[in-house]
Amino acid sequence: MSLPIYLIGARGCGKTTVGQALALTLGYDFCDTDHYLQQSRQKTVAEIVAIEGWSGFRAYETESLKAVTAVSKVIATGGGMVLAEENRLYMREHGRVIYLNADALVLAARLEAYPLADQRPTLTGRPVAEEMVEVLAIRDALYQQAAHHIIDAMQTPDAVVNQIVSSLSLARA
Ligand code: ADP
Ligand code: MG
């Protein structure tokens, strides 16, 4: 059965870039929990956080995870999806979970080079590199805990896709 593939990792690790390429390679659909959430609420992440706080946003995030889950789908998740144990267990139970792992400084450099690639407000308002070090210090263990496979996301996107496909022993479309 073509179980859903969940991509987890911090902002900038390549969930969208790699996820779209992986979906093409496998002939799967692609979706992004943040996009789904924003469309279903008709608000941006920043607006939801401003109105309902991060806890409100996190509740919609769990809802979105469940709503988008389907077979033959690559699902790019929000960077904070793993914070809730419920989400970690749900992903492990319903599909295969891939952690796109990259150093904080690599992530920061990507986000600084393409500031519009991710429209989320920064969590702390501090410099991106500093924030990334801090965020990963907290989340890396959760990403590792949730993941079935940990992939080095500092390779080219094509190499990352190839490694995911072989680690899951899946056939190309
Ligand atoms: P995420 O969805 O995890 O936040 P994105 O896919 O939006 O990450 O990637 C963030 C930025 O980093 C984009 O500008 C993208 O082009 C770049 N990027 C993503 N993956 C790689 C990679 N493997 N090598 C180099 N740049 C990458
Ligand atoms: Mg993304």
Side-chain angles (χ1 to χ4, degrees), residues 14-93:
K15 298 180 296 291
T16 301
T17 307
V18 167
Q20 286 172 342
L22 177 65
L24 270 178
T25 301
L26 297 174
Y28 281 25
D29 292 327
F30 172 79
C31 79
D32 188 305
T33 57
D34 276 351
H35 287 170
Y36 175 88
L37 193 159
Q38 295 181 88
Q39 271 184 355
S40 66
R41 308 310 306 177
Q42 289 290 298
K43 287 192 182 70
T44 64
V45 173
E47 285 166 345
I48 296 170
V49 171
I51 297 165
E52 308 196 42
W54 280 103
S55 66
F57 174 77
R58 295 291 176 218
Y60 295 137
E61 197 169 41
T62 297
E63 236 176 65
S64 304
L65 178 65
K66 294 177 179 172
V68 301
T69 290
V71 293
S72 303
K73 209 160 172 184
V74 175
I75 299 164
T77 62
M81 186 62 84
V82 296
L83 291 173
E85 185 184 24
E86 178 184 1
N87 297 345
R88 298 196 299 274
L89 294 174
Y90 184 90
M91 290 188 287
R92 282 191 69 88
E93 201 174 302

Side-chain angles (χ1 to χ4, degrees), residues 10-18 110 114 117-118 153 155-157 160:
R11 287 193 300 150
C13 72
K15 298 180 296 291
T16 301
T17 307
V18 167
R110 287 183 188 170
Y114 304 97
D118 189 315
Q155 319 171 72
T156 64
V160 177

